[in-house]
Amino acid sequence: MNIHVAHDPILVGFALLIAILAAFTALNLGARAQENEGNVRLLWLSMAAMAMGGGVFTMHFIAMLACDMGELLIAYKVGMMLSAVGVAVVCSAIALAVTFKYGSGPIPILIGGLFMGLGIAGMHYLGAASMVLAAIAIHKPLYVTISIIISVFASMIALWLTLNARTLLTRLASAVAMCTGIAGMHFVGIGATYYEMLPDVTIPPAHGLPPVVLAVVVGIATIALLALGLTSALVDQHLSHRARKASERLREAYEELEVKVEERTSELRYAKEAAEAGNLAKSRFLATMSHELRTPFNAIMGFTQVLQQKMKSDDDTEALDILNNIEEASEHLLGLVDELLDLARIESGKATLSPKPVQLSGLIKGVETMVRPLIEKNGNAFAIEGGEDIRLITVDVKKTRQCLINILSNAAKFTTDGRVTLSVTQKDDMLQFDVSDTGIGLSEQDQDKVFDTFVQVDDALSRHYEGAGLGLAITRQLCHLMGGEILVKSALSQGAIFCFTIKADQMPLMNMELAPQQSVLRRHL
């Protein structure tokens, strides 16, 4: 005898709602997996697979509870029922992993839809096989085939819509498509099966779960699925909101950075053009002033010397004193002009080395001839120590001489009735010159700024001692140019020691731009 099967419309509607919710949850979780990597991706995929497998399970058994088979008693085999759930979860995981990893191409969609559809069909027919009842289930092959085709085709549509979802409406459409596959497969599968009663057969209670227990299990699974769906929706909304806000902030920061970079680039371009224009103007100034300033001073000094000879012959001592003052002032002013031109030439990069072989003793002798009168003018004694074992060196004679004269003149200026000493040594490839005096000395604070341009260490001193504050600044630049360094050690009222080094062979430095470098002087001091 065949059994007539009827359906409870309320439970059928509830089963369809569960299918839509499960599909929506699983596809959203799968989409989150697509946006992540590593363990996070695996976690999202696992949650999606469990949501889909659990949804298919819940929908199937609620739909089975909706079936009215009259007085026929039904129980379920727990082991086979769990196997059905496992098939749905594993197939869902494979389908989602393939689809979300390889994209929306025809092959990934076909493979994903095939596994998803087979998982749905496997869950249905294994679930049906887990039923224990006093009847024989007979399946119609054509309807079984149609049910599987429906689940595969609907799964392909749902996966494609999910991959291309941009709005909530599109996601709902993909969930409805998946629900169509699940429900269509289920109800066509039920239609493909009919039952024939077995006479005088009863079902022992131990063979399966009674319907009441089944109802409780299905209810718990439904509540858990609803909670999972709600949680996934909230998490997805929260993450999407954060991602959107972060993207907006990043875009705003990028646009702001672009504006600042453009502004800074414009400023740098303008500064570069201004610097190039200033450097060109300085070069022209040097070329012009080097001749224009020196020529009048040389003429004044020449005419002064002619007049001095005439006044000497006329024995006009008063006029001779005036002419001597004029000559001294002219020489002093010419020296200041020379210092300014030297500094400008160094800072503009026009200063170059012209090294040539020279005897150190001859170089020192020439410097001594020039500075001894200045030193002894203030009642100071002058001594030269060392250097006898140093013979031929290859240096820029003019710049080396200028460094020595600047430092010795400085010592002579600030020392009265004392002693000035020049010591010369060689350490490896470096020449070292130490100029010590017994003058007024420098405080520790003044030592930090004594090599700055246009700086007098004390405003009060500038009223008693001549100078523009350029000599030591130029000396430091020249020492750097010649591969060396200059340092000072001093204390107030205890004199000072100025030490500078230069390369003994400066030929390799002719075409190089050297940065200031530290020497062995600090250890020496």
Side-chain angles (χ1 to χ4, degrees), residues 37-318:
E37 298 292 339
N39 293 332
V40 177
R41 179 189 181 91
L42 183 61
L43 176 62
W44 283 112
L45 281 175
S46 301
M47 292 175 63
M50 287 188 290
M52 180 59 72
V56 174
F57 160 78
T58 305
M59 184 273 167
H60 173 80
F61 283 100
I62 290 178
M64 291 304 298
L65 287 174
C67 295
D68 183 4
M69 293 183 160
E71 297 179 358
L72 185 65
L73 296 177
I74 303 174
Y76 292 89
K77 300 175 183 177
V78 177
M80 187 168 290
M81 185 171 62
L82 294 178
S83 299
V85 176
V87 168
V89 171
V90 171
C91 289
S92 299
I94 296 174
L96 293 172
V98 170
T99 304
F100 288 114
K101 182 176 182 180
Y102 296 104
S104 59
I107 301 300
I109 291 294
L110 177 61
I111 295 175
L114 183 62
F115 272 97
M116 187 68 76
L118 291 177
I120 295 170
M123 168 65 221
H124 173 82
Y125 288 108
L126 284 174
S130 69
M131 295 170 59
V132 180
L133 68 166
I136 298 176
I138 300 173
H139 302 284
K140 301 174 183 178
L142 178 61
Y143 284 91
V144 171
T145 303
I146 293 174
S147 69
I148 295 175
I149 292 174
I150 290 174
S151 63
V152 171
F153 187 71
S155 297
M156 291 172 59
I157 295 175
L159 291 173
W160 184 85
L161 286 173
T162 302
L163 287 174
N164 295 276
R166 295 293 183 269
T167 63
L168 179 61
L169 184 62
T170 311
R171 293 183 179 182
L172 287 174
S174 64
V176 171
M178 186 63 74
C179 172
T180 302
I182 298 171
M185 187 275 139
H186 175 80
F187 290 108
V188 172
I190 290 178
T193 306
Y194 64 92
Y195 299 90
E196 289 187 356
M197 289 290 295
L198 295 175
D200 302 326
V201 176
T202 58
I203 304 173
H207 284 182
L209 293 174
V212 175
V213 177
L214 178 62
V216 173
V217 172
V218 172
I220 293 175
T222 302
I223 294 173
L225 185 61
L226 288 172
L228 181 62
L230 180 61
T231 302
S232 69
L234 293 175
V235 170
D236 183 68
Q237 181 182 6
H238 178 67
L239 292 178
S240 298
H241 179 72
R242 287 182 59 184
R244 186 167 56 254
K245 288 295 185 182
S247 178
E248 291 176 358
R249 288 196 298 268
L250 183 62
R251 178 178 54 81
E252 293 173 357
Y254 178 76
E255 292 175 354
E256 183 179 356
L257 180 62
E258 276 191 327
V259 172
K260 289 183 178 180
V261 168
E262 182 62 29
E263 292 176 353
R264 185 57 178 163
T265 302
S266 300
E267 293 175 359
L268 292 175
R269 188 183 302 113
Y270 175 77
K272 179 176 178 292
E273 293 173 355
E276 290 175 347
N279 190 53
L280 179 61
K282 182 187 289 186
S283 299
R284 291 174 178 173
F285 169 79
L286 289 173
T288 304
M289 292 299 101
S290 179
H291 172 74
E292 297 295 333
L293 291 177
R294 292 175 188 271
T295 300
F297 279 122
N298 289 331
I300 292 173
M301 293 173 66
F303 286 127
T304 302
Q305 291 171 359
V306 171
L307 291 174
Q308 283 176 328
Q309 295 296 327
K310 186 175 186 305
M311 293 302 104
K312 285 181 181 179
S313 61
D314 294 343
D315 198 22
D316 190 344
T317 56
E318 184 177 354

